[in-house]
Amino acid sequence: MVAYLVKKLLKMLFTIWVVTTLIFVLIRMMPSNPVDRYIEEQMVVYGIGYEEATLRAQSLFSMELDEPIWKQYLSFLSDVANFDFGQSLLSPGVDVMSIIAARLPWTLFTVGMGLLLSFIIGISVGALMAMKRDRWYEPVVSGFASFLSAIPDFLIAIFLLLIFGVFTYGMGHTIIPITSLRGNYSMFVTPGWNAGFILDVLLHGLLPILTYMFSQLGIWILLMKGSTTSTLNTDYVQIAKVRGLRQSTILVNYVGRNAMLPIVTEFAMRLGFIIGGSLIIEQLFVYQGIGLELLNATNGRDYPLMQGIFLIMTSAIVLCNFLAEILYVVLDPRIKLKKKVRENG
Amino acid sequence: MAEKVYRTLSSSGRAQRFFRQIWYAISHDRVGMIGFVILAVIVVLSVISPAVFPVDVESDPSSILQGPSAQHILGTDHLGRDIWCQIANGGRELLVLSFVTAVLGMLIGVLIGAFSAVVGGRFDEIMLFLADVWLSIPRFPLLVVFSAFFTLNNTTLALVLAILSWAGIFRTVRSEVLSLKERDYIEVAFMQGLSLGHIVIKEILPNMMGFLAVNFTLLMRSTIYSQVGLVFLGLLPLEQNWGVMINLAWTQGVIYNPRTILYLLAPTVMICLLILSLVWIGKALEDVFNPSLRK
Amino acid sequence: MDNWILRFDDVSISYRTKRGSLHAVSHASLDVMEGESVALIGESGCGKTTLATSVVGILPLAARIDSGRALYRKSDGDVVDMYALARNEKRLLLWKDVVMMFQASQSSFNPVRRIFTTFVDTVKAHDPSKNDEWILSRSRELLKMVMLDPDKILYSYPHELSGGMKQRTLLALTMILEPRLLILDEPTTALDLITQEKILRLLNDMRRTFGFSMVFITHDLSIVSELADRVVTMYAGKVVESAPVRDFFLSPRHPYSDGLLRAIPRLSTPSDELYSIPGTTPDLVAPPAGCLFAPRCGRADERCGRQEPESESCGGRAWACFHPVEEKNAID
């Protein structure tokens, strides 16, 4: 068990290392990499010597460019390990980490709420559909779920925008005022723990949250329906019924716990998708989160900011993966055995 | 009798049987049939449109952002061009790109996956580990980051997407080959001393065709997602496809102009239809090729 | 002859399929006497499992009970129809009065909980006044009875036990409320021969101790001879023969039962002479007219393909055939 977790932990660190290295290779070692390009540009545009241009690049990228490449690599690794991604190129003097710290909570808030809502609703609906497989509405709900799971999230966002922010339904105004469709909060509220601000934040976040929710909802419904259906058919659930247990006991202790197992591991994977989608969603709603920031950094070729955000995104996903694995071990006592079987097979 | 059976299973009949099976899958499933019809319509439109519904090359300032009319059934865009013609022509690029990417991606994934599963041992373990690692790197942000280092266009995008998607296909192909490897007839082939290549190509791959067909539609879907997403973010050159239409309509603020909402809505719906058709075809195929998932 | 404990009265059960309804059980009637052990035999798909599971009410969603009753006589003499009971009443009867064990009961325990929770859950569902200590000490006694180490079993997870251990644990669990009727669906399939033997011996012992009635389904005629008092043969959803176990083996009357018996390999018969019943089971979505076995029967004539034979009974046994196999007096 401990060995299993250590293995997973090592895998997590390895993944982060791979991404870090990938970024280093992209920035420093590819032909015509941004550092070399910057130096050439400085030399051509300002007519300065190579030495001076290198010096400028050095302070900009916070790399010791005259050191051998492996030393640069090592110092890059240690910087990353200390969460030091240097300073933003576009807003000089501002730490990348402080930009991330300012933007990340907004993305975590919307993505987290969306994922949580979709999870809770999806799991409940999915389990219900599994039990009502013989009713007429089951194919309708399942069909809608597979429709939702197929549509790209940004198209869902467009539909939601049309429904909530464009059509007026003869009322003369839209459901959500147009001013609340963009940005994180309105100009007139003071940030802090006051009701006006919180309501305003919720209103601004509503459409992104709904988008994330709907884009994941279908998958949760389908997964949970499948998982519950197969759990319902297992001998232990059938026997539990024959043993005369109360329906509530069966649902919670027998069906629920077992049906949730395969879903839990899916949670982390979904998070990866949803974070990937946040780039487009935040662009659509001009929501100042980390996805939009990554996009701006990419468009402005702000390499330190790009690498910082991308690493944080990857780390978040990998960390969630790891947490899901731990949760899985806690929920399923068979994990040790399964491992063994897999290794032998 | 025995000879006859052998002949029907021989490789010459295999491709034919495979397509017959696919056709059976689609035609015997109502939803699959709908998917197939939608896809067929899009393909036909893509082929005939350059001749029948050519895209307006010149802008027409006299008819900018008009609603639907007899002359322009879906209205006009911000340059006064007909939207229907753009819709009719807008699927071609997506279809070709997603098809090429899926072919490439399948090739890479299947080769590595089958090889790794057949070789087994340490190599296989390491590959599986790498695939797991690869899968936890968020794909779309990675593509966006890439766009800062390489100029992405449809050709490079197809290549990059195909390479990026290796891990998912690798994992599924590998486990499928592993389970096939356990089957008796494969063991018999090994005992007969047939070469590894022969076994993989002649014995294992044909039995995975259905499974591969299903994954093919999945890969096409994710390619369309990435392509349209990147176009929407303006990270791909603007050519003629539905994603570009959404991008333009969006940047022109068409969404707040209810009269010409079709400019935004039409390509959105088309992309949804294209993806849904692939989903439905994939589902129909899955039902036939993967009986264990039935019910 | 009115001391039955379970009576299937003209039961028909069908499954909804894409092609139409599949008549898995049609007009089956069958009595199980107090203290009796009845073996249900027949090919796969003949409806024996459907019939047995219908009593405890866990038929698949696609199944429908079209007609008939499953009457159960409670210990106080009241007769209830298991098909028509309210959910809660039925829940209280299950496991307290009627228990069922499935085939491959290897997976009968919740994989994520320890075994003892199963014992506790079961007793508390029927008698909340029992405390954990009472339940556990009772479980220990029963586990010892099936020759298991209670301390080890109770606190294990199901995956930590072997197939035979799980089977015996389940057997102990079935006895915890001292039921009056035990329904077993292929109790020993998927077990090795030695474990099989052990389970069979335990079942016989327990029957002597607790005196329950038993219905069990099997493909294995050797188990029938060890465990059954009476043999009921089913074919294509119908009960075709019912006979005391001795008579059944000595001289089956229905040609299908006869075929089943002749298909048993014997050491004395050379293997190339092993008999198998020709043909396959009929399509139960659109069953042919007349006797369903007629197309495969060597004794069938024109009448068999037209008219369905009624059940005839004589001397404690019954069969549904126009041309029954002649009675034999000794094993040939």
PDB file of all heavy atoms in Angstrom, chain B residues 238-266:
ATOM      1  N   LEU B 238      -6.624  31.896 -40.835  1.00  0.00           N
ATOM      2  CA  LEU B 238      -8.040  31.860 -41.155  1.00  0.00           C
ATOM      3  C   LEU B 238      -8.237  31.415 -42.598  1.00  0.00           C
ATOM      4  O   LEU B 238      -7.868  32.112 -43.523  1.00  0.00           O
ATOM      5  CB  LEU B 238      -8.671  33.240 -40.948  1.00  0.00           C
ATOM      6  CG  LEU B 238      -8.568  33.771 -39.523  1.00  0.00           C
ATOM      7  CD1 LEU B 238      -9.262  35.114 -39.416  1.00  0.00           C
ATOM      8  CD2 LEU B 238      -9.176  32.796 -38.543  1.00  0.00           C
ATOM      9  N   GLU B 239      -8.804  30.234 -42.770  1.00  0.00           N
ATOM     10  CA  GLU B 239      -9.126  29.786 -44.113  1.00  0.00           C
ATOM     11  C   GLU B 239     -10.637  29.646 -44.207  1.00  0.00           C
ATOM     12  O   GLU B 239     -11.343  30.367 -43.535  1.00  0.00           O
ATOM     13  CB  GLU B 239      -8.380  28.482 -44.426  1.00  0.00           C
ATOM     14  CG  GLU B 239      -6.899  28.760 -44.693  1.00  0.00           C
ATOM     15  CD  GLU B 239      -6.053  27.513 -44.645  1.00  0.00           C
ATOM     16  OE1 GLU B 239      -6.550  26.459 -45.053  1.00  0.00           O
ATOM     17  OE2 GLU B 239      -4.906  27.602 -44.194  1.00  0.00           O
ATOM     18  N   GLN B 240     -11.082  28.709 -45.002  1.00  0.00           N
ATOM     19  CA  GLN B 240     -12.532  28.613 -45.163  1.00  0.00           C
ATOM     20  C   GLN B 240     -13.075  27.430 -44.389  1.00  0.00           C
ATOM     21  O   GLN B 240     -13.075  26.316 -44.889  1.00  0.00           O
ATOM     22  CB  GLN B 240     -12.868  28.470 -46.658  1.00  0.00           C
ATOM     23  CG  GLN B 240     -14.342  28.482 -46.947  1.00  0.00           C
ATOM     24  CD  GLN B 240     -14.996  29.762 -46.455  1.00  0.00           C
ATOM     25  OE1 GLN B 240     -14.620  30.850 -46.854  1.00  0.00           O
ATOM     26  NE2 GLN B 240     -15.965  29.630 -45.556  1.00  0.00           N
ATOM     27  N   ASN B 241     -13.458  27.624 -43.161  1.00  0.00           N
ATOM     28  CA  ASN B 241     -14.187  26.558 -42.479  1.00  0.00           C
ATOM     29  C   ASN B 241     -15.102  27.133 -41.417  1.00  0.00           C
ATOM     30  O   ASN B 241     -15.086  28.328 -41.139  1.00  0.00           O
ATOM     31  CB  ASN B 241     -13.241  25.490 -41.926  1.00  0.00           C
ATOM     32  CG  ASN B 241     -12.456  25.955 -40.729  1.00  0.00           C
ATOM     33  OD1 ASN B 241     -13.018  26.517 -39.800  1.00  0.00           O
ATOM     34  ND2 ASN B 241     -11.149  25.745 -40.749  1.00  0.00           N
ATOM     35  N   TRP B 242     -15.895  26.236 -40.814  1.00  0.00           N
ATOM     36  CA  TRP B 242     -16.921  26.705 -39.881  1.00  0.00           C
ATOM     37  C   TRP B 242     -16.312  27.385 -38.656  1.00  0.00           C
ATOM     38  O   TRP B 242     -16.878  28.327 -38.131  1.00  0.00           O
ATOM     39  CB  TRP B 242     -17.802  25.525 -39.467  1.00  0.00           C
ATOM     40  CG  TRP B 242     -18.559  24.952 -40.604  1.00  0.00           C
ATOM     41  CD1 TRP B 242     -19.080  25.647 -41.655  1.00  0.00           C
ATOM     42  CD2 TRP B 242     -18.883  23.581 -40.827  1.00  0.00           C
ATOM     43  NE1 TRP B 242     -19.704  24.795 -42.515  1.00  0.00           N
ATOM     44  CE2 TRP B 242     -19.616  23.515 -42.037  1.00  0.00           C
ATOM     45  CE3 TRP B 242     -18.637  22.414 -40.134  1.00  0.00           C
ATOM     46  CZ2 TRP B 242     -20.084  22.333 -42.557  1.00  0.00           C
ATOM     47  CZ3 TRP B 242     -19.120  21.234 -40.640  1.00  0.00           C
ATOM     48  CH2 TRP B 242     -19.835  21.183 -41.856  1.00  0.00           C
ATOM     49  N   GLY B 243     -15.167  26.871 -38.221  1.00  0.00           N
ATOM     50  CA  GLY B 243     -14.513  27.478 -37.073  1.00  0.00           C
ATOM     51  C   GLY B 243     -14.162  28.934 -37.363  1.00  0.00           C
ATOM     52  O   GLY B 243     -14.373  29.821 -36.534  1.00  0.00           O
ATOM     53  N   VAL B 244     -13.650  29.180 -38.570  1.00  0.00           N
ATOM     54  CA  VAL B 244     -13.299  30.541 -38.959  1.00  0.00           C
ATOM     55  C   VAL B 244     -14.549  31.423 -38.980  1.00  0.00           C
ATOM     56  O   VAL B 244     -14.531  32.572 -38.535  1.00  0.00           O
ATOM     57  CB  VAL B 244     -12.621  30.537 -40.347  1.00  0.00           C
ATOM     58  CG1 VAL B 244     -12.388  31.955 -40.826  1.00  0.00           C
ATOM     59  CG2 VAL B 244     -11.321  29.769 -40.274  1.00  0.00           C
ATOM     60  N   MET B 245     -15.640  30.840 -39.473  1.00  0.00           N
ATOM     61  CA  MET B 245     -16.893  31.614 -39.504  1.00  0.00           C
ATOM     62  C   MET B 245     -17.301  32.025 -38.103  1.00  0.00           C
ATOM     63  O   MET B 245     -17.690  33.170 -37.860  1.00  0.00           O
ATOM     64  CB  MET B 245     -18.012  30.787 -40.149  1.00  0.00           C
ATOM     65  CG  MET B 245     -17.821  30.568 -41.634  1.00  0.00           C
ATOM     66  SD  MET B 245     -19.130  29.545 -42.324  1.00  0.00           S
ATOM     67  CE  MET B 245     -20.495  30.689 -42.277  1.00  0.00           C
ATOM     68  N   ILE B 246     -17.188  31.072 -37.158  1.00  0.00           N
ATOM     69  CA  ILE B 246     -17.540  31.411 -35.771  1.00  0.00           C
ATOM     70  C   ILE B 246     -16.630  32.517 -35.267  1.00  0.00           C
ATOM     71  O   ILE B 246     -17.079  33.502 -34.674  1.00  0.00           O
ATOM     72  CB  ILE B 246     -17.430  30.167 -34.858  1.00  0.00           C
ATOM     73  CG1 ILE B 246     -18.435  29.111 -35.290  1.00  0.00           C
ATOM     74  CG2 ILE B 246     -17.666  30.544 -33.414  1.00  0.00           C
ATOM     75  CD1 ILE B 246     -18.408  27.864 -34.433  1.00  0.00           C
ATOM     76  N   ASN B 247     -15.350  32.366 -35.544  1.00  0.00           N
ATOM     77  CA  ASN B 247     -14.374  33.368 -35.113  1.00  0.00           C
ATOM     78  C   ASN B 247     -14.754  34.742 -35.647  1.00  0.00           C
ATOM     79  O   ASN B 247     -14.847  35.713 -34.899  1.00  0.00           O
ATOM     80  CB  ASN B 247     -12.979  32.940 -35.610  1.00  0.00           C
ATOM     81  CG  ASN B 247     -11.911  33.956 -35.244  1.00  0.00           C
ATOM     82  OD1 ASN B 247     -12.144  35.146 -35.295  1.00  0.00           O
ATOM     83  ND2 ASN B 247     -10.747  33.471 -34.872  1.00  0.00           N
ATOM     84  N   LEU B 248     -15.005  34.842 -36.955  1.00  0.00           N
ATOM     85  CA  LEU B 248     -15.323  36.132 -37.564  1.00  0.00           C
ATOM     86  C   LEU B 248     -16.631  36.682 -37.008  1.00  0.00           C
ATOM     87  O   LEU B 248     -16.708  37.854 -36.625  1.00  0.00           O
ATOM     88  CB  LEU B 248     -15.410  35.994 -39.087  1.00  0.00           C
ATOM     89  CG  LEU B 248     -14.065  35.777 -39.788  1.00  0.00           C
ATOM     90  CD1 LEU B 248     -14.264  35.573 -41.272  1.00  0.00           C
ATOM     91  CD2 LEU B 248     -13.138  36.957 -39.520  1.00  0.00           C
ATOM     92  N   ALA B 249     -17.641  35.805 -36.947  1.00  0.00           N
ATOM     93  CA  ALA B 249     -18.935  36.256 -36.448  1.00  0.00           C
ATOM     94  C   ALA B 249     -18.781  36.781 -35.031  1.00  0.00           C
ATOM     95  O   ALA B 249     -19.365  37.789 -34.639  1.00  0.00           O
ATOM     96  CB  ALA B 249     -19.941  35.111 -36.493  1.00  0.00           C
ATOM     97  N   TRP B 250     -17.954  36.065 -34.255  1.00  0.00           N
ATOM     98  CA  TRP B 250     -17.762  36.460 -32.867  1.00  0.00           C
ATOM     99  C   TRP B 250     -17.058  37.807 -32.779  1.00  0.00           C
ATOM    100  O   TRP B 250     -17.507  38.716 -32.073  1.00  0.00           O
ATOM    101  CB  TRP B 250     -16.962  35.389 -32.139  1.00  0.00           C
ATOM    102  CG  TRP B 250     -16.779  35.709 -30.700  1.00  0.00           C
ATOM    103  CD1 TRP B 250     -15.696  36.264 -30.107  1.00  0.00           C
ATOM    104  CD2 TRP B 250     -17.737  35.524 -29.679  1.00  0.00           C
ATOM    105  NE1 TRP B 250     -15.912  36.431 -28.791  1.00  0.00           N
ATOM    106  CE2 TRP B 250     -17.163  35.990 -28.480  1.00  0.00           C
ATOM    107  CE3 TRP B 250     -19.038  35.004 -29.644  1.00  0.00           C
ATOM    108  CZ2 TRP B 250     -17.835  35.952 -27.268  1.00  0.00           C
ATOM    109  CZ3 TRP B 250     -19.704  34.971 -28.438  1.00  0.00           C
ATOM    110  CH2 TRP B 250     -19.108  35.445 -27.266  1.00  0.00           C
ATOM    111  N   THR B 251     -15.968  37.962 -33.512  1.00  0.00           N
ATOM    112  CA  THR B 251     -15.214  39.212 -33.414  1.00  0.00           C
ATOM    113  C   THR B 251     -16.011  40.375 -33.999  1.00  0.00           C
ATOM    114  O   THR B 251     -15.793  41.515 -33.629  1.00  0.00           O
ATOM    115  CB  THR B 251     -13.858  39.110 -34.134  1.00  0.00           C
ATOM    116  OG1 THR B 251     -14.068  38.529 -35.410  1.00  0.00           O
ATOM    117  CG2 THR B 251     -12.878  38.254 -33.367  1.00  0.00           C
ATOM    118  N   GLN B 252     -16.964  40.080 -34.891  1.00  0.00           N
ATOM    119  CA  GLN B 252     -17.797  41.151 -35.440  1.00  0.00           C
ATOM    120  C   GLN B 252     -18.948  41.492 -34.503  1.00  0.00           C
ATOM    121  O   GLN B 252     -19.769  42.335 -34.809  1.00  0.00           O
ATOM    122  CB  GLN B 252     -18.361  40.746 -36.805  1.00  0.00           C
ATOM    123  CG  GLN B 252     -17.320  40.596 -37.886  1.00  0.00           C
ATOM    124  CD  GLN B 252     -16.568  41.891 -38.141  1.00  0.00           C
ATOM    125  OE1 GLN B 252     -17.146  42.951 -38.149  1.00  0.00           O
ATOM    126  NE2 GLN B 252     -15.254  41.782 -38.322  1.00  0.00           N
ATOM    127  N   GLY B 253     -19.043  40.783 -33.390  1.00  0.00           N
ATOM    128  CA  GLY B 253     -20.101  41.071 -32.430  1.00  0.00           C
ATOM    129  C   GLY B 253     -21.487  40.708 -32.918  1.00  0.00           C
ATOM    130  O   GLY B 253     -22.484  41.265 -32.485  1.00  0.00           O
ATOM    131  N   VAL B 254     -21.527  39.731 -33.817  1.00  0.00           N
ATOM    132  CA  VAL B 254     -22.807  39.345 -34.403  1.00  0.00           C
ATOM    133  C   VAL B 254     -23.780  38.831 -33.342  1.00  0.00           C
ATOM    134  O   VAL B 254     -24.989  38.972 -33.476  1.00  0.00           O
ATOM    135  CB  VAL B 254     -22.558  38.263 -35.481  1.00  0.00           C
ATOM    136  CG1 VAL B 254     -23.842  37.549 -35.840  1.00  0.00           C
ATOM    137  CG2 VAL B 254     -21.957  38.909 -36.706  1.00  0.00           C
ATOM    138  N   ILE B 255     -23.218  38.283 -32.267  1.00  0.00           N
ATOM    139  CA  ILE B 255     -24.080  37.655 -31.274  1.00  0.00           C
ATOM    140  C   ILE B 255     -25.094  38.631 -30.676  1.00  0.00           C
ATOM    141  O   ILE B 255     -26.173  38.246 -30.268  1.00  0.00           O
ATOM    142  CB  ILE B 255     -23.222  36.986 -30.164  1.00  0.00           C
ATOM    143  CG1 ILE B 255     -24.096  36.088 -29.297  1.00  0.00           C
ATOM    144  CG2 ILE B 255     -22.493  38.017 -29.340  1.00  0.00           C
ATOM    145  CD1 ILE B 255     -23.332  35.106 -28.482  1.00  0.00           C
ATOM    146  N   TYR B 256     -24.755  39.931 -30.654  1.00  0.00           N
ATOM    147  CA  TYR B 256     -25.694  40.896 -30.074  1.00  0.00           C
ATOM    148  C   TYR B 256     -26.602  41.513 -31.117  1.00  0.00           C
ATOM    149  O   TYR B 256     -27.275  42.485 -30.860  1.00  0.00           O
ATOM    150  CB  TYR B 256     -24.910  41.976 -29.327  1.00  0.00           C
ATOM    151  CG  TYR B 256     -24.101  41.373 -28.227  1.00  0.00           C
ATOM    152  CD1 TYR B 256     -22.707  41.378 -28.253  1.00  0.00           C
ATOM    153  CD2 TYR B 256     -24.739  40.730 -27.159  1.00  0.00           C
ATOM    154  CE1 TYR B 256     -21.984  40.768 -27.252  1.00  0.00           C
ATOM    155  CE2 TYR B 256     -24.013  40.128 -26.159  1.00  0.00           C
ATOM    156  CZ  TYR B 256     -22.634  40.147 -26.212  1.00  0.00           C
ATOM    157  OH  TYR B 256     -21.922  39.543 -25.219  1.00  0.00           O
ATOM    158  N   ASN B 257     -26.591  40.921 -32.298  1.00  0.00           N
ATOM    159  CA  ASN B 257     -27.413  41.442 -33.377  1.00  0.00           C
ATOM    160  C   ASN B 257     -28.396  40.352 -33.805  1.00  0.00           C
ATOM    161  O   ASN B 257     -28.115  39.572 -34.699  1.00  0.00           O
ATOM    162  CB  ASN B 257     -26.493  41.837 -34.540  1.00  0.00           C
ATOM    163  CG  ASN B 257     -27.270  42.486 -35.656  1.00  0.00           C
ATOM    164  OD1 ASN B 257     -28.504  42.547 -35.619  1.00  0.00           O
ATOM    165  ND2 ASN B 257     -26.559  42.964 -36.655  1.00  0.00           N
ATOM    166  N   PRO B 258     -29.558  40.281 -33.145  1.00  0.00           N
ATOM    167  CA  PRO B 258     -30.467  39.138 -33.324  1.00  0.00           C
ATOM    168  C   PRO B 258     -30.842  38.886 -34.784  1.00  0.00           C
ATOM    169  O   PRO B 258     -31.141  37.764 -35.155  1.00  0.00           O
ATOM    170  CB  PRO B 258     -31.697  39.551 -32.517  1.00  0.00           C
ATOM    171  CG  PRO B 258     -31.192  40.553 -31.541  1.00  0.00           C
ATOM    172  CD  PRO B 258     -30.072  41.260 -32.205  1.00  0.00           C
ATOM    173  N   ARG B 259     -30.804  39.907 -35.618  1.00  0.00           N
ATOM    174  CA  ARG B 259     -31.233  39.739 -37.001  1.00  0.00           C
ATOM    175  C   ARG B 259     -30.291  38.801 -37.763  1.00  0.00           C
ATOM    176  O   ARG B 259     -30.718  38.011 -38.595  1.00  0.00           O
ATOM    177  CB  ARG B 259     -31.275  41.118 -37.676  1.00  0.00           C
ATOM    178  CG  ARG B 259     -32.113  41.192 -38.941  1.00  0.00           C
ATOM    179  CD  ARG B 259     -32.403  42.669 -39.272  1.00  0.00           C
ATOM    180  NE  ARG B 259     -31.213  43.494 -39.099  1.00  0.00           N
ATOM    181  CZ  ARG B 259     -30.323  43.725 -40.070  1.00  0.00           C
ATOM    182  NH1 ARG B 259     -30.502  43.236 -41.252  1.00  0.00           N
ATOM    183  NH2 ARG B 259     -29.271  44.477 -39.837  1.00  0.00           N
ATOM    184  N   THR B 260     -29.021  38.883 -37.474  1.00  0.00           N
ATOM    185  CA  THR B 260     -28.061  38.079 -38.241  1.00  0.00           C
ATOM    186  C   THR B 260     -27.452  36.986 -37.386  1.00  0.00           C
ATOM    187  O   THR B 260     -26.340  36.537 -37.623  1.00  0.00           O
ATOM    188  CB  THR B 260     -26.931  38.964 -38.783  1.00  0.00           C
ATOM    189  OG1 THR B 260     -26.394  39.686 -37.688  1.00  0.00           O
ATOM    190  CG2 THR B 260     -27.450  39.893 -39.829  1.00  0.00           C
ATOM    191  N   ILE B 261     -28.200  36.567 -36.384  1.00  0.00           N
ATOM    192  CA  ILE B 261     -27.669  35.575 -35.453  1.00  0.00           C
ATOM    193  C   ILE B 261     -27.288  34.287 -36.186  1.00  0.00           C
ATOM    194  O   ILE B 261     -26.447  33.515 -35.731  1.00  0.00           O
ATOM    195  CB  ILE B 261     -28.704  35.306 -34.336  1.00  0.00           C
ATOM    196  CG1 ILE B 261     -28.026  34.754 -33.100  1.00  0.00           C
ATOM    197  CG2 ILE B 261     -29.796  34.381 -34.789  1.00  0.00           C
ATOM    198  CD1 ILE B 261     -27.180  35.758 -32.403  1.00  0.00           C
ATOM    199  N   LEU B 262     -27.895  34.083 -37.355  1.00  0.00           N
ATOM    200  CA  LEU B 262     -27.602  32.867 -38.122  1.00  0.00           C
ATOM    201  C   LEU B 262     -26.138  32.801 -38.529  1.00  0.00           C
ATOM    202  O   LEU B 262     -25.576  31.723 -38.702  1.00  0.00           O
ATOM    203  CB  LEU B 262     -28.488  32.795 -39.359  1.00  0.00           C
ATOM    204  CG  LEU B 262     -29.888  32.240 -39.135  1.00  0.00           C
ATOM    205  CD1 LEU B 262     -30.693  32.308 -40.412  1.00  0.00           C
ATOM    206  CD2 LEU B 262     -29.798  30.807 -38.644  1.00  0.00           C
ATOM    207  N   TYR B 263     -25.528  33.950 -38.710  1.00  0.00           N
ATOM    208  CA  TYR B 263     -24.113  33.973 -39.081  1.00  0.00           C
ATOM    209  C   TYR B 263     -23.286  33.203 -38.048  1.00  0.00           C
ATOM    210  O   TYR B 263     -22.354  32.469 -38.381  1.00  0.00           O
ATOM    211  CB  TYR B 263     -23.642  35.427 -39.182  1.00  0.00           C
ATOM    212  CG  TYR B 263     -22.233  35.625 -39.671  1.00  0.00           C
ATOM    213  CD1 TYR B 263     -21.562  34.625 -40.367  1.00  0.00           C
ATOM    214  CD2 TYR B 263     -21.572  36.840 -39.441  1.00  0.00           C
ATOM    215  CE1 TYR B 263     -20.268  34.826 -40.813  1.00  0.00           C
ATOM    216  CE2 TYR B 263     -20.287  37.027 -39.886  1.00  0.00           C
ATOM    217  CZ  TYR B 263     -19.628  36.019 -40.571  1.00  0.00           C
ATOM    218  OH  TYR B 263     -18.344  36.208 -41.007  1.00  0.00           O
ATOM    219  N   LEU B 264     -23.669  33.356 -36.784  1.00  0.00           N
ATOM    220  CA  LEU B 264     -22.958  32.645 -35.725  1.00  0.00           C
ATOM    221  C   LEU B 264     -23.554  31.253 -35.514  1.00  0.00           C
ATOM    222  O   LEU B 264     -22.836  30.272 -35.325  1.00  0.00           O
ATOM    223  CB  LEU B 264     -23.069  33.445 -34.422  1.00  0.00           C
ATOM    224  CG  LEU B 264     -22.365  32.845 -33.213  1.00  0.00           C
ATOM    225  CD1 LEU B 264     -20.868  32.873 -33.423  1.00  0.00           C
ATOM    226  CD2 LEU B 264     -22.723  33.625 -31.961  1.00  0.00           C
ATOM    227  N   LEU B 265     -24.873  31.202 -35.585  1.00  0.00           N
ATOM    228  CA  LEU B 265     -25.561  29.967 -35.233  1.00  0.00           C
ATOM    229  C   LEU B 265     -25.325  28.860 -36.262  1.00  0.00           C
ATOM    230  O   LEU B 265     -25.111  27.697 -35.904  1.00  0.00           O
ATOM    231  CB  LEU B 265     -27.069  30.252 -35.102  1.00  0.00           C
ATOM    232  CG  LEU B 265     -27.819  29.411 -34.085  1.00  0.00           C
ATOM    233  CD1 LEU B 265     -27.112  29.398 -32.752  1.00  0.00           C
ATOM    234  CD2 LEU B 265     -29.239  29.919 -33.928  1.00  0.00           C
ATOM    235  N   ALA B 266     -25.355  29.219 -37.538  1.00  0.00           N
ATOM    236  CA  ALA B 266     -25.267  28.196 -38.584  1.00  0.00           C
ATOM    237  C   ALA B 266     -23.975  27.375 -38.490  1.00  0.00           C
ATOM    238  O   ALA B 266     -24.029  26.142 -38.449  1.00  0.00           O
ATOM    239  CB  ALA B 266     -25.407  28.831 -39.956  1.00  0.00           C
TER     240      ALA B 266
END
